[in-house]
Amino acid sequence: MLFNNEFNNIKYDEPMKNHTSIKIGGKADIYMEPENIGELVRFIGCLKEKDIPYYLFGNGTNVLISDDGIRGAVIKIGEKIADVKVEKNTIIAESGALFSSISKLAAEHSLTGLEFANGIPGSVGGAISMNAGAYGMEVKDVVEEVEVLDSEMNTRTLNNKQMKFGYRKSIISKESYIVTTVFFNLKTGSYNDIKKLMTELNEKRQAKQPIEFPSAGSIFKRPEGYYAGKLIEDAGLKGMAIGDAEISNKHCGFIINKGSATSKDIYNLIVHIQKTIYERYGVKLETEVKLIGKFQ
Ligand SMILES: Cc1cc2nc3c(=O)[nH]c(=O)nc-3n(C[C@H](O)[C@H](O)[C@H](O)COP(=O)(O)OP(=O)(O)OC[C@H]3O[C@@H](n4cnc5c(N)ncnc54)[C@H](O)[C@@H]3O)c2cc1C
């Protein structure tokens, strides 16, 4: 044991399939869910002393972890660091809160701007890091400030511009910042209109996305001028499977786990899609999902 009772929520050889929405992933050497930011900082200090690499996780809905697992530590910022409060038109949320729960809270307070977040299954931290978005709206439209820890564990406050939001990216991963608290700036709206829009978007999502199967959401970023799902469908790849990994019949931008798919199955399908689409259309599909661990 590397840490003798120094931390409560620590596990060794933890199967990461228990912590990802696609229900796949080998064991992490160390898995830790800090109780609060102080403990997170202390834990990272210990890891640095021992020269152990670490990976930050939110809700694990945008990651594919290799079957060999993760050498080092996974730190999950989850429900233990998830306080939220509303102050006038601002929602202040700790990064472990679910992004969808912030959307519901906004609706309860007749605040508009976060309706799109209702069906996104990640955490607030993951949503900020990825600049998550849907139906023409994205995180960058509603964020006022973000509190982060930098690599020296100093707290910094970044405004919207400093966050350098782009398509499914922000400054967070580039600088290895850790999101701790987010200030969402919303507008007052009509409760009924907000609820109506949330219901409409939910219905669209249920009709178009294979949410009944484990997945990691859209596998590929949208290539400029195209839609990944449409290219994949046009190339005749709909429903193609390797093992239990299958290109969804409902939405070709999703790869679903039909039961016992491995990371290797998913990875091989990704590579096959990328090769086919490049050969047919000259378009390079880049993964939106983060690949963690060894795949080759
Ligand atoms: C069914 C389904 C539907 C989806 N629909 C959408 C959609 O409509 N729009 C969309 O944009 N995405 C969608 N996604 C993808 C995913 O939910 C989002 O990208 C989400 O924002 C990821 O959040 P997470 O907490 O799960 O992050 P994780 O998957 O845990 O991590 C993703 C990245 O964020 C980083 N990260 C997480 N927390 C923090 C933190 N506190 N500080 C710093 N970095 C952090 C991680 O290090 C990693 O690089 C969907 C996924 C699924 C499974």
Side-chain angles (χ1 to χ4, degrees), residues 21 55-63 77 95-96 99 116 119-135 168 172-173 177-180 205 209-211 215-218 254 288 290 292:
S21 58
Y55 301 85
L56 205 72
F57 264 61
N59 210 28
T61 64
N62 203 42
V63 287
I77 301 191
S95 54
F99 198 36
F116 74 98
I120 300 180
S123 66
V124 165
I128 293 289
S129 169
M130 298 298 299
N131 186 22
Y135 305 110
R168 299 296 171 263
I172 299 298
S173 55
Y177 287 153
I178 298 175
V179 178
T180 54
R205 203 177 269 277
Q209 294 183 1
I211 48 182
S215 81
S218 299
F254 281 62
E288 177 175 320
K290 309 258 183 197
I292 304 174

Short mmCIF file of all heavy atoms in Angstrom, two decimals, residues 21 55-63 77 95-96 99 116 119-135 168 172-173 177-180 205 209-211 215-218 254 288 290 292, ligand 1:
data_model
loop_
_atom_site.label_atom_id
_atom_site.label_comp_id
_atom_site.label_asym_id
_atom_site.label_seq_id
_atom_site.Cartn_x
_atom_site.Cartn_y
_atom_site.Cartn_z
N SER A 21 -18.86 5.88 -18.80
CA SER A 21 -20.21 5.69 -19.35
C SER A 21 -20.24 4.59 -20.40
O SER A 21 -21.28 3.99 -20.63
CB SER A 21 -20.72 7.00 -19.95
OG SER A 21 -19.84 7.45 -20.95
N TYR A 55 -4.15 11.29 -13.60
CA TYR A 55 -5.12 11.69 -14.61
C TYR A 55 -6.37 12.17 -13.90
O TYR A 55 -6.85 11.51 -12.97
CB TYR A 55 -5.49 10.52 -15.53
CG TYR A 55 -4.30 9.96 -16.24
CD1 TYR A 55 -3.48 8.99 -15.62
CD2 TYR A 55 -3.95 10.41 -17.51
CE1 TYR A 55 -2.36 8.51 -16.26
CE2 TYR A 55 -2.83 9.92 -18.15
CZ TYR A 55 -2.04 8.98 -17.51
OH TYR A 55 -0.92 8.50 -18.14
N LEU A 56 -6.89 13.28 -14.36
CA LEU A 56 -8.08 13.84 -13.72
C LEU A 56 -9.34 13.37 -14.43
O LEU A 56 -9.39 13.37 -15.66
CB LEU A 56 -7.98 15.35 -13.83
CG LEU A 56 -8.75 16.06 -12.76
CD1 LEU A 56 -8.05 15.90 -11.43
CD2 LEU A 56 -8.86 17.53 -13.12
N PHE A 57 -10.32 12.95 -13.66
CA PHE A 57 -11.59 12.49 -14.22
C PHE A 57 -12.74 13.29 -13.66
O PHE A 57 -12.74 13.64 -12.49
CB PHE A 57 -11.81 11.02 -13.81
CG PHE A 57 -11.38 10.05 -14.84
CD1 PHE A 57 -10.07 10.01 -15.25
CD2 PHE A 57 -12.30 9.18 -15.40
CE1 PHE A 57 -9.67 9.11 -16.21
CE2 PHE A 57 -11.90 8.27 -16.35
CZ PHE A 57 -10.60 8.23 -16.77
N GLY A 58 -13.76 13.46 -14.50
CA GLY A 58 -15.04 13.96 -14.02
C GLY A 58 -15.96 12.76 -13.95
O GLY A 58 -15.73 11.82 -13.19
N ASN A 59 -16.97 12.77 -14.81
CA ASN A 59 -17.93 11.67 -14.77
C ASN A 59 -17.59 10.54 -15.75
O ASN A 59 -18.38 9.62 -15.92
CB ASN A 59 -19.34 12.21 -15.03
CG ASN A 59 -20.39 11.39 -14.32
OD1 ASN A 59 -20.12 10.78 -13.28
ND2 ASN A 59 -21.58 11.33 -14.89
N GLY A 60 -16.46 10.64 -16.43
CA GLY A 60 -16.01 9.55 -17.31
C GLY A 60 -16.90 9.32 -18.53
O GLY A 60 -17.01 8.20 -19.01
N THR A 61 -17.52 10.39 -19.06
CA THR A 61 -18.44 10.21 -20.18
C THR A 61 -17.83 10.60 -21.53
O THR A 61 -18.51 10.57 -22.54
CB THR A 61 -19.74 11.03 -19.98
OG1 THR A 61 -19.41 12.42 -19.95
CG2 THR A 61 -20.44 10.65 -18.69
N ASN A 62 -16.56 10.98 -21.49
CA ASN A 62 -15.92 11.36 -22.77
C ASN A 62 -14.54 10.72 -22.89
O ASN A 62 -13.64 11.30 -23.48
CB ASN A 62 -15.81 12.89 -22.83
CG ASN A 62 -15.71 13.38 -24.26
OD1 ASN A 62 -16.43 12.88 -25.14
ND2 ASN A 62 -14.83 14.31 -24.50
N VAL A 63 -14.39 9.53 -22.31
CA VAL A 63 -13.08 8.89 -22.29
C VAL A 63 -13.17 7.43 -22.74
O VAL A 63 -14.19 6.76 -22.53
CB VAL A 63 -12.46 8.93 -20.86
CG1 VAL A 63 -11.98 10.32 -20.51
CG2 VAL A 63 -13.42 8.42 -19.81
N ILE A 77 -13.04 13.83 -9.63
CA ILE A 77 -13.76 14.91 -8.95
C ILE A 77 -15.23 14.66 -9.19
O ILE A 77 -15.73 14.80 -10.31
CB ILE A 77 -13.34 16.29 -9.49
CG1 ILE A 77 -11.83 16.49 -9.28
CG2 ILE A 77 -14.13 17.38 -8.79
CD1 ILE A 77 -11.32 17.88 -9.52
N SER A 95 -16.86 21.78 -9.34
CA SER A 95 -16.67 21.08 -10.61
C SER A 95 -17.21 19.65 -10.63
O SER A 95 -17.47 19.09 -11.70
CB SER A 95 -15.20 21.07 -10.99
OG SER A 95 -14.44 20.54 -9.95
N GLY A 96 -17.43 19.04 -9.46
CA GLY A 96 -17.94 17.65 -9.46
C GLY A 96 -19.44 17.56 -9.64
O GLY A 96 -19.99 16.46 -9.83
N PHE A 99 -23.44 18.37 -14.75
CA PHE A 99 -23.82 19.49 -15.63
C PHE A 99 -25.34 19.51 -15.81
O PHE A 99 -25.95 20.57 -15.82
CB PHE A 99 -23.10 19.30 -16.97
CG PHE A 99 -23.03 20.54 -17.81
CD1 PHE A 99 -22.87 21.80 -17.25
CD2 PHE A 99 -23.09 20.44 -19.19
CE1 PHE A 99 -22.81 22.93 -18.04
CE2 PHE A 99 -23.02 21.56 -19.99
CZ PHE A 99 -22.88 22.81 -19.42
N PHE A 116 -29.56 23.57 -22.87
CA PHE A 116 -28.84 22.57 -23.69
C PHE A 116 -28.08 21.55 -22.84
O PHE A 116 -27.77 20.45 -23.31
CB PHE A 116 -27.84 23.27 -24.64
CG PHE A 116 -26.61 23.80 -23.95
CD1 PHE A 116 -25.43 23.08 -23.95
CD2 PHE A 116 -26.63 25.01 -23.27
CE1 PHE A 116 -24.28 23.54 -23.31
CE2 PHE A 116 -25.50 25.50 -22.63
CZ PHE A 116 -24.33 24.77 -22.64
N GLY A 119 -29.21 17.21 -21.16
CA GLY A 119 -28.94 15.81 -21.54
C GLY A 119 -27.47 15.46 -21.62
O GLY A 119 -27.12 14.37 -22.09
N ILE A 120 -26.60 16.37 -21.22
CA ILE A 120 -25.15 16.08 -21.30
C ILE A 120 -24.72 15.42 -19.99
O ILE A 120 -24.85 16.03 -18.92
CB ILE A 120 -24.34 17.37 -21.60
CG1 ILE A 120 -24.81 17.96 -22.95
CG2 ILE A 120 -22.84 17.08 -21.60
CD1 ILE A 120 -24.10 19.24 -23.38
N PRO A 121 -24.25 14.17 -20.04
CA PRO A 121 -24.08 13.41 -18.79
C PRO A 121 -22.80 13.68 -17.99
O PRO A 121 -22.56 13.01 -17.00
CB PRO A 121 -24.10 11.95 -19.29
CG PRO A 121 -23.63 12.02 -20.69
CD PRO A 121 -24.01 13.35 -21.24
N GLY A 122 -22.00 14.67 -18.40
CA GLY A 122 -20.73 14.90 -17.70
C GLY A 122 -20.85 15.77 -16.46
O GLY A 122 -21.94 16.21 -16.08
N SER A 123 -19.69 16.02 -15.85
CA SER A 123 -19.61 16.91 -14.69
C SER A 123 -19.41 18.35 -15.18
O SER A 123 -19.08 18.57 -16.36
CB SER A 123 -18.42 16.51 -13.82
OG SER A 123 -17.22 16.74 -14.53
N VAL A 124 -19.53 19.30 -14.26
CA VAL A 124 -19.28 20.69 -14.61
C VAL A 124 -17.82 20.86 -15.06
O VAL A 124 -17.54 21.52 -16.06
CB VAL A 124 -19.62 21.61 -13.41
CG1 VAL A 124 -19.04 23.00 -13.58
CG2 VAL A 124 -21.13 21.68 -13.22
N GLY A 125 -16.89 20.22 -14.35
CA GLY A 125 -15.46 20.33 -14.72
C GLY A 125 -15.20 19.79 -16.11
O GLY A 125 -14.48 20.40 -16.91
N GLY A 126 -15.79 18.63 -16.42
CA GLY A 126 -15.62 18.03 -17.75
C GLY A 126 -16.23 18.92 -18.82
O GLY A 126 -15.66 19.10 -19.90
N ALA A 127 -17.38 19.50 -18.52
CA ALA A 127 -18.06 20.37 -19.50
C ALA A 127 -17.22 21.61 -19.79
O ALA A 127 -17.13 22.05 -20.93
CB ALA A 127 -19.44 20.76 -18.97
N ILE A 128 -16.59 22.15 -18.76
CA ILE A 128 -15.75 23.34 -18.95
C ILE A 128 -14.52 22.97 -19.76
O ILE A 128 -14.15 23.63 -20.73
CB ILE A 128 -15.32 23.92 -17.58
CG1 ILE A 128 -16.54 24.48 -16.84
CG2 ILE A 128 -14.23 24.96 -17.72
CD1 ILE A 128 -17.12 25.73 -17.42
N SER A 129 -13.89 21.86 -19.37
CA SER A 129 -12.67 21.44 -20.06
C SER A 129 -12.93 21.20 -21.54
O SER A 129 -12.14 21.58 -22.40
CB SER A 129 -12.14 20.16 -19.38
OG SER A 129 -11.12 19.60 -20.16
N MET A 130 -14.09 20.58 -21.85
CA MET A 130 -14.41 20.19 -23.23
C MET A 130 -15.18 21.28 -23.98
O MET A 130 -15.52 21.10 -25.13
CB MET A 130 -15.27 18.92 -23.24
CG MET A 130 -14.62 17.68 -22.64
SD MET A 130 -13.16 17.18 -23.54
CE MET A 130 -13.83 16.84 -25.16
N ASN A 131 -15.54 22.39 -23.30
CA ASN A 131 -16.49 23.35 -23.87
C ASN A 131 -17.67 22.58 -24.48
O ASN A 131 -17.98 22.68 -25.68
CB ASN A 131 -15.84 24.26 -24.91
CG ASN A 131 -16.77 25.36 -25.40
OD1 ASN A 131 -17.74 25.71 -24.72
ND2 ASN A 131 -16.52 25.87 -26.59
N ALA A 132 -18.32 21.80 -23.64
CA ALA A 132 -19.43 20.95 -24.09
C ALA A 132 -20.54 21.81 -24.70
O ALA A 132 -20.74 22.96 -24.30
CB ALA A 132 -19.99 20.16 -22.90
N GLY A 133 -21.24 21.23 -25.64
CA GLY A 133 -22.31 21.99 -26.29
C GLY A 133 -23.30 21.08 -26.98
O GLY A 133 -23.04 19.90 -27.17
N ALA A 134 -24.44 21.67 -27.32
CA ALA A 134 -25.47 20.91 -28.04
C ALA A 134 -26.48 21.90 -28.61
O ALA A 134 -26.75 22.94 -27.99
CB ALA A 134 -26.17 19.92 -27.10
N TYR A 135 -27.03 21.54 -29.74
CA TYR A 135 -28.11 22.31 -30.36
C TYR A 135 -27.78 23.82 -30.46
O TYR A 135 -28.59 24.67 -30.12
CB TYR A 135 -29.43 22.08 -29.60
CG TYR A 135 -29.75 20.61 -29.50
CD1 TYR A 135 -29.68 19.92 -28.28
CD2 TYR A 135 -30.08 19.88 -30.64
CE1 TYR A 135 -29.93 18.56 -28.21
CE2 TYR A 135 -30.34 18.51 -30.58
CZ TYR A 135 -30.26 17.86 -29.37
OH TYR A 135 -30.49 16.52 -29.31
N ARG A 168 -15.01 22.15 -28.68
CA ARG A 168 -14.73 21.04 -27.75
C ARG A 168 -13.34 21.13 -27.12
O ARG A 168 -12.66 20.12 -26.92
CB ARG A 168 -14.90 19.69 -28.46
CG ARG A 168 -16.30 19.45 -28.98
CD ARG A 168 -17.35 19.39 -27.88
NE ARG A 168 -18.67 19.36 -28.47
CZ ARG A 168 -19.45 20.45 -28.63
NH1 ARG A 168 -19.05 21.63 -28.17
NH2 ARG A 168 -20.62 20.36 -29.18
N ILE A 172 -7.97 24.52 -20.43
CA ILE A 172 -7.79 23.61 -19.28
C ILE A 172 -6.80 22.47 -19.55
O ILE A 172 -5.82 22.30 -18.82
CB ILE A 172 -9.16 23.04 -18.83
CG1 ILE A 172 -10.09 24.17 -18.37
CG2 ILE A 172 -9.00 21.99 -17.72
CD1 ILE A 172 -9.61 24.98 -17.20
N SER A 173 -7.03 21.69 -20.62
CA SER A 173 -6.13 20.54 -20.81
C SER A 173 -4.75 20.99 -21.28
O SER A 173 -3.74 20.38 -20.91
CB SER A 173 -6.74 19.50 -21.75
OG SER A 173 -7.09 20.08 -22.96
N TYR A 177 -4.70 22.58 -16.11
CA TYR A 177 -5.39 23.19 -14.99
C TYR A 177 -6.44 22.22 -14.46
O TYR A 177 -6.94 21.36 -15.18
CB TYR A 177 -6.13 24.46 -15.43
CG TYR A 177 -5.25 25.66 -15.73
CD1 TYR A 177 -5.68 26.63 -16.63
CD2 TYR A 177 -4.02 25.84 -15.10
CE1 TYR A 177 -4.89 27.75 -16.92
CE2 TYR A 177 -3.24 26.94 -15.38
CZ TYR A 177 -3.66 27.89 -16.28
OH TYR A 177 -2.90 28.99 -16.55
N ILE A 178 -6.78 22.40 -13.19
CA ILE A 178 -7.88 21.63 -12.59
C ILE A 178 -9.01 22.62 -12.29
O ILE A 178 -8.80 23.61 -11.57
CB ILE A 178 -7.43 20.94 -11.29
CG1 ILE A 178 -6.31 19.95 -11.60
CG2 ILE A 178 -8.61 20.25 -10.59
CD1 ILE A 178 -5.70 19.30 -10.37
N VAL A 179 -10.18 22.35 -12.86
CA VAL A 179 -11.33 23.22 -12.62
C VAL A 179 -11.87 22.92 -11.22
O VAL A 179 -12.10 21.75 -10.87
CB VAL A 179 -12.46 22.96 -13.65
CG1 VAL A 179 -13.67 23.83 -13.34
CG2 VAL A 179 -11.96 23.18 -15.07
N THR A 180 -12.05 23.97 -10.40
CA THR A 180 -12.61 23.74 -9.06
C THR A 180 -14.01 24.33 -8.94
O THR A 180 -14.93 23.66 -8.48
CB THR A 180 -11.69 24.31 -7.96
OG1 THR A 180 -11.45 25.69 -8.25
CG2 THR A 180 -10.38 23.55 -7.88
N ARG A 205 -33.00 14.35 -28.41
CA ARG A 205 -31.88 13.50 -28.03
C ARG A 205 -32.30 12.03 -27.97
O ARG A 205 -31.62 11.15 -28.48
CB ARG A 205 -31.37 13.96 -26.66
CG ARG A 205 -29.96 13.60 -26.35
CD ARG A 205 -29.56 14.17 -25.02
NE ARG A 205 -28.97 15.49 -25.11
CZ ARG A 205 -27.69 15.72 -25.40
NH1 ARG A 205 -26.87 14.73 -25.61
NH2 ARG A 205 -27.22 16.95 -25.47
N GLN A 209 -30.31 9.76 -30.49
CA GLN A 209 -29.07 9.20 -29.93
C GLN A 209 -29.32 7.86 -29.24
O GLN A 209 -30.38 7.68 -28.63
CB GLN A 209 -28.46 10.18 -28.91
CG GLN A 209 -27.98 11.47 -29.55
CD GLN A 209 -27.30 12.41 -28.56
OE1 GLN A 209 -27.16 12.10 -27.38
NE2 GLN A 209 -26.88 13.55 -29.05
N PRO A 210 -28.36 6.94 -29.31
CA PRO A 210 -28.56 5.61 -28.72
C PRO A 210 -28.32 5.63 -27.21
O PRO A 210 -27.44 4.91 -26.70
CB PRO A 210 -27.50 4.77 -29.44
CG PRO A 210 -26.40 5.74 -29.72
CD PRO A 210 -27.03 7.08 -29.94
N ILE A 211 -29.11 6.44 -26.47
CA ILE A 211 -28.81 6.59 -25.04
C ILE A 211 -29.18 5.35 -24.24
O ILE A 211 -28.85 5.25 -23.06
CB ILE A 211 -29.46 7.87 -24.44
CG1 ILE A 211 -30.92 7.96 -24.84
CG2 ILE A 211 -28.73 9.11 -24.83
CD1 ILE A 211 -31.60 9.21 -24.32
N SER A 215 -22.14 4.29 -24.05
CA SER A 215 -21.30 4.90 -25.09
C SER A 215 -20.48 6.00 -24.44
O SER A 215 -20.63 6.27 -23.26
CB SER A 215 -22.18 5.50 -26.20
OG SER A 215 -22.66 6.78 -25.82
N ALA A 216 -19.63 6.62 -25.27
CA ALA A 216 -18.88 7.78 -24.77
C ALA A 216 -19.32 9.03 -25.52
O ALA A 216 -18.56 9.97 -25.71
CB ALA A 216 -17.39 7.54 -24.92
N GLY A 217 -20.56 9.04 -25.99
CA GLY A 217 -21.06 10.19 -26.76
C GLY A 217 -20.50 10.16 -28.17
O GLY A 217 -20.15 9.10 -28.70
N SER A 218 -20.42 11.34 -28.79
CA SER A 218 -19.88 11.41 -30.16
C SER A 218 -18.41 11.02 -30.13
O SER A 218 -17.63 11.60 -29.38
CB SER A 218 -19.99 12.83 -30.71
OG SER A 218 -21.33 13.21 -30.76
N PHE A 254 -21.95 7.66 -33.05
CA PHE A 254 -21.78 6.98 -31.75
C PHE A 254 -21.31 5.55 -31.98
O PHE A 254 -21.84 4.86 -32.86
CB PHE A 254 -23.11 6.89 -30.99
CG PHE A 254 -23.53 8.15 -30.30
CD1 PHE A 254 -23.79 9.31 -31.03
CD2 PHE A 254 -23.71 8.18 -28.92
CE1 PHE A 254 -24.21 10.48 -30.39
CE2 PHE A 254 -24.12 9.34 -28.27
CZ PHE A 254 -24.38 10.48 -29.00
N GLU A 288 -13.09 12.99 -30.63
CA GLU A 288 -13.49 13.93 -29.57
C GLU A 288 -13.22 13.25 -28.23
O GLU A 288 -12.80 13.86 -27.26
CB GLU A 288 -14.98 14.25 -29.71
CG GLU A 288 -15.49 15.16 -28.61
CD GLU A 288 -16.94 15.58 -28.81
OE1 GLU A 288 -17.34 15.86 -29.96
OE2 GLU A 288 -17.68 15.61 -27.82
N LYS A 290 -11.43 11.22 -25.40
CA LYS A 290 -10.02 11.17 -25.00
C LYS A 290 -9.59 9.72 -24.82
O LYS A 290 -10.22 8.99 -24.05
CB LYS A 290 -9.82 11.89 -23.66
CG LYS A 290 -10.40 13.29 -23.63
CD LYS A 290 -9.33 14.31 -23.79
CE LYS A 290 -9.90 15.70 -23.68
NZ LYS A 290 -9.04 16.72 -24.20
N ILE A 292 -7.10 7.11 -23.31
CA ILE A 292 -6.15 7.08 -22.19
C ILE A 292 -5.57 5.68 -22.03
O ILE A 292 -6.31 4.69 -21.97
CB ILE A 292 -6.83 7.52 -20.88
CG1 ILE A 292 -7.46 8.92 -21.06
CG2 ILE A 292 -5.84 7.53 -19.72
CD1 ILE A 292 -8.28 9.40 -19.88
C1 LIG B 1 -24.89 9.68 -24.16
C2 LIG B 1 -23.91 10.82 -24.22
C3 LIG B 1 -24.29 12.04 -24.77
C4 LIG B 1 -23.39 13.11 -24.84
N1 LIG B 1 -23.82 14.28 -25.39
C5 LIG B 1 -22.96 15.33 -25.46
C6 LIG B 1 -23.38 16.58 -26.04
O1 LIG B 1 -24.51 16.75 -26.45
N2 LIG B 1 -22.47 17.57 -26.10
C7 LIG B 1 -21.19 17.44 -25.64
O2 LIG B 1 -20.41 18.39 -25.72
N3 LIG B 1 -20.77 16.27 -25.09
C8 LIG B 1 -21.61 15.22 -24.99
N4 LIG B 1 -21.19 14.04 -24.44
C9 LIG B 1 -19.78 13.89 -24.01
C10 LIG B 1 -19.50 14.26 -22.53
O3 LIG B 1 -20.65 14.08 -21.72
C11 LIG B 1 -18.99 15.69 -22.39
O4 LIG B 1 -17.79 15.90 -23.10
C12 LIG B 1 -18.75 16.06 -20.92
O5 LIG B 1 -18.52 17.44 -20.82
C13 LIG B 1 -17.58 15.30 -20.30
O6 LIG B 1 -17.63 15.50 -18.89
P1 LIG B 1 -17.08 14.39 -17.87
O7 LIG B 1 -17.20 14.95 -16.49
O8 LIG B 1 -17.72 13.09 -18.11
O9 LIG B 1 -15.56 14.38 -18.28
P2 LIG B 1 -14.54 13.11 -18.37
O10 LIG B 1 -15.01 12.21 -19.44
O11 LIG B 1 -14.37 12.52 -17.01
O12 LIG B 1 -13.24 13.86 -18.79
C14 LIG B 1 -13.17 14.54 -20.05
C15 LIG B 1 -12.00 15.52 -20.01
O13 LIG B 1 -12.28 16.55 -19.08
C16 LIG B 1 -11.23 16.64 -18.11
N5 LIG B 1 -11.82 17.02 -16.82
C17 LIG B 1 -12.87 16.47 -16.17
N6 LIG B 1 -13.10 17.11 -15.01
C18 LIG B 1 -12.16 18.10 -14.92
C19 LIG B 1 -11.84 19.10 -13.95
N7 LIG B 1 -12.53 19.25 -12.82
N8 LIG B 1 -10.79 19.93 -14.20
C20 LIG B 1 -10.06 19.79 -15.33
N9 LIG B 1 -10.29 18.87 -16.28
C21 LIG B 1 -11.33 18.04 -16.08
C22 LIG B 1 -10.60 15.25 -18.07
O14 LIG B 1 -9.27 15.32 -17.61
C23 LIG B 1 -10.69 14.86 -19.55
O15 LIG B 1 -9.64 15.44 -20.29
C24 LIG B 1 -22.07 12.95 -24.36
C25 LIG B 1 -21.69 11.73 -23.78
C26 LIG B 1 -22.59 10.68 -23.70
C27 LIG B 1 -22.15 9.39 -23.08
#
